Amino acid sequence: MVSDAPLTSDAGLLPLRQFDDHIGLTAQFAGALHDPRDPDRIDHTVPEMVRSRVFGILAGYADQDDHDTLRTDPVFKLIADRSPTDADLASQPTLSRFENMIDIPSLFRLRDVLIDQLIGSFAQPPFTLTFDLDAVDDPTHGSQQLTLLHAFYEQYQYLPLVITCAENDAIVVLSLRHGTAAASLGADNDLEYLVTRLRAVWPNVRIRVRGDGGFGNPTMYEVSERLDVIYTYGLSTNPVLQRESDALLAEAVRLWDVTHGPQRLFAGFWYQAGTWTAPRWVVVKAEANAQGTNRRFVTTNRPGAQAYPEATYDEYAMRGESENRNKEFKCGMAMDRLSDHRFMANYLRLYLHAAALNLSVRLRREIADPPPAPAGDVPVVALPEPARKRYRNARRRRDPLGEGQPATWRLLLIKVAASVVVSCRRIVVRLSGSWPHQQFFERVAQHVARRPALPHFWSG
């Protein structure tokens, strides 16, 4: 039988929409976009279309085509500030025109929106901020502008540059680049803009930057030093570095032969490549274990690196957490669905997917309820690896939303059936009484209801 009642399968989006009202993310996003249309002939506003796309991505609807169905959904109408009985939302052709009307000044303003949201996420000026730089391959399957064959990835693709903040997991800078771009292309400009914006608000903030070997080049060293940024970048091996570290690797092999236990040894030395203007400190890690030997190098100006090479390298290795954000961005939020023909339209799409991730990540961090650290005052990151792993597994069991990937949020919160009843006085959303994850909905809804709406940070 078919029900005549207005039904939805995404009622869990409603507390996320209320949270968005508190932090003003989609409002700022829409406010950054130039709308060239005649105001007297507009049926679908920019805020409506931004919210349709962002919340569609949150619910797992990555493509414009999905909105030919979602445009009649009562919850998506509520998200777009319409009554379920109002006219339908924007169709796929309208959303396509919306994405294709983007201009370059709007993209510059969107860059500021992400940074403004980062600033607004801190109640007090932070003492330290850590940023991870990464190039993320984005395979393409059509004739999009500037999609090119990358020999290393063996695919036609774009190669976006993503800068994330380790303190709050947010994406703070995005650059969509052609498919054969070098990993560090434009990273110096993006880093300088980010640091300049932040120091205009927080002059005393200490900024640390980490990047893999694709960013270990003179351009990135020099801009980091000029900006007074603490950096640790991966460094590709070469015969000189190998000669400098041969003795350390030999010692690791000797200890492995004696103990038959995995060995990790660290050292450091000054090194200057032919293209460098000055020598810089290099930390080397030498490993020997049952799988063989391994050497890794990083270049750094981190204070204490000469005295504590192991701690310096381990802090660099923690940039691996940013890989989880990239995984969420690419797989969970489907940022690789850049299927518009125009390059600039795909640039806007990339920002829409980033806004969806930032919205979910910020709420996730607010409602997180981690168990106490097992060693009392010792931070979790300082625990030995087996203890860290046990703690993280325990946290995932106790706090599935606080640790949850986008797919987990969809399963436990977003994807819930509900009926939407409209009367002359109110709109009532009735969830299924047999839904097994009701406690997660209540937890998030109660948090958002109690949360004071903070003043929105608007760039001047």
Side-chain angles (χ1 to χ4, degrees):
M1 295 179 63
V2 178
S3 172
D4 293 330
L7 301 175
T8 183
S9 59
D10 298 293
L13 288 173
L14 292 174
L16 277 80
R17 175 66 179 92
Q18 185 178 359
F19 179 72
D20 174 50
D21 264 346
H22 283 203
I23 67 173
L25 177 54
T26 60
Q28 279 185 265
F29 194 110
L33 302 180
H34 171 61
D35 188 353
R37 300 174 297 170
D38 182 349
D40 295 329
R41 303 180 66 182
I42 291 176
D43 291 325
H44 304 286
T45 65
V46 168
E48 171 199 313
M49 292 187 286
V50 167
R51 287 168 183 146
S52 293
R53 292 290 283 124
V54 168
F55 284 89
I57 292 166
L58 279 168
Y61 307 109
D63 296 317
Q64 295 169 352
D65 292 347
D66 297 319
H67 290 272
D68 278 338
T69 302
L70 297 176
R71 63 193 302 241
T72 64
D73 187 284
V75 160
F76 274 85
K77 288 185 178 182
L78 290 173
I79 286 169
D81 291 334
R82 292 195 180 198
S83 168
T85 58
D86 287 344
D88 292 343
L89 302 174
S91 63
Q92 182 275 324
T94 302
L95 291 173
S96 180
R97 289 190 293 271
F98 157 67
E99 292 182 5
N100 277 277
M101 74 183 187
I102 188 70
D103 58 10
I104 291 176
S106 294
L107 291 175
F108 282 134
R109 289 191 292 270
L110 287 176
R111 176 176 63 174
D112 281 323
V113 166
L114 293 188
I115 299 175
D116 290 345
Q117 282 286 319
L118 170 71
I119 295 170
S121 68
F122 290 92
Q124 302 293 331
F127 178 72
T128 301
L129 288 174
T130 305
F131 297 106
D132 293 308
L133 287 70
D134 216 338
V136 183
D137 69 296
D138 185 350
T140 56
H141 307 282
S143 57
Q144 296 96 312
Q145 290 177 340
L146 295 181
T147 180
L148 299 168
L149 177 65
H150 196 292
F152 176 79
Y153 292 101
E154 298 182 338
Q155 62 187 10
Y156 285 89
Q157 63 173 41
Y158 289 123
L159 190 64
L161 171 65
V162 182
I163 303 180
T164 55
C165 178
E167 280 71 27
N168 68 357
D169 294 339
I171 294 174
V172 294
V173 179
L174 274 179
S175 292
L176 183 62
R177 305 175 300 179
H178 61 83
T180 56
S184 63
L185 178 66
D188 54 334
N189 295 327
D190 286 348
L191 178 61
E192 182 162 8
Y193 188 82
L194 173 62
V195 171
T196 302
R197 279 289 323 275
L198 293 177
R199 290 214 170 116
V201 181
W202 300 317
N204 300 319
V205 66
R206 177 182 298 173
I207 295 176
R208 299 186 300 212
V209 178
R210 303 180 293 203
D212 64 19
F215 300 90
N217 58 59
T219 299
M220 296 305 299
Y221 302 149
E222 291 166 9
V223 73
S224 299
E225 290 160 357
R226 176 165 54 81
L227 295 170
D228 192 23
V229 164
I230 300 170
Y231 65 82
T232 310
Y233 295 121
L235 181 63
S236 300
T237 187
N238 61 44
V240 175
L241 295 174
Q242 290 177 347
R243 286 196 301 271
E244 291 285 345
S245 59
D246 278 344
L248 186 71
L249 183 62
E251 177 64 10
V253 171
R254 186 189 70 80
L255 292 173
W256 161 253
D257 289 338
V258 171
T259 66
H260 298 289
Q263 301 296 320
R264 295 172 79 240
L265 301 183
F266 296 86
F269 50 85
W270 290 102
Y271 169 73
Q272 182 176 359
T275 57
W276 297 6
T277 58
R280 295 180 173 90
W281 189 253
V282 171
V283 171
V284 56
K285 177 188 73 169
E287 291 182 312
N289 51 46
Q291 285 71 46
T293 61
N294 183 36
R295 274 183 283 199
R296 289 289 185 270
F297 303 89
V298 297
T299 311
T300 185
N301 66 347
R302 183 182 179 189
Q306 298 182 37
Y308 302 100
E310 181 175 358
T312 298
Y313 188 90
D314 285 345
E315 194 274 338
Y316 163 78
M318 288 172 61
R319 65 171 294 278
E321 179 60 25
S322 69
E323 298 288 346
N324 290 330
R325 304 292 81 70
N326 295 335
K327 177 182 176 182
E328 290 180 282
F329 194 27
K330 183 175 180 178
C331 302
M333 295 300 178
M335 56 78 73
D336 57 347
R337 304 293 276 274
L338 306 184
S339 55
D340 281 320
H341 172 68
R342 290 185 65 224
F343 178 79
M344 287 177 55
N346 285 322
Y347 215 138
L348 174 60
R349 274 201 175 194
L350 194 66
Y351 271 109
L352 289 166
H353 290 263
L357 180 60
N358 280 357
L359 182 63
S360 65
V361 163
R362 188 159 169 186
L363 179 56
R364 179 175 70 192
R365 290 181 64 86
E366 286 197 14
I367 61 96
D369 183 26
D377 294 334
V378 178
V380 174
V381 295
L383 296 174
E385 177 56 31
R388 280 206 308 269
K389 185 175 181 179
R390 287 194 296 271
Y391 175 84
R392 287 169 178 162
N393 288 339
R395 177 173 178 177
R396 289 187 186 98
R397 291 191 296 270
R398 165 175 164 164
D399 188 26
L401 288 185
E403 284 285 283
Q405 297 272 321
T408 302
W409 274 69
R410 290 180 190 126
L411 177 66
L412 299 183
L413 178 70
I414 294 174
K415 295 295 181 181
V416 52
S419 64
V420 181
V421 181
V422 181
S423 69
C424 59
R425 293 184 300 133
R426 62 180 182 172
I427 299 172
V428 178
V429 180
R430 293 196 175 104
L431 305 181
S432 169
S434 60
W435 183 37
H437 305 308
Q438 185 173 347
Q439 73 273 23
F440 297 118
F441 184 94
E442 292 175 351
R443 174 183 167 190
V444 173
Q446 289 170 4
H447 169 83
V448 175
R450 292 192 301 263
R451 183 188 192 278
L454 299 178
H456 299 162
F457 184 97
W458 298 93
S459 59

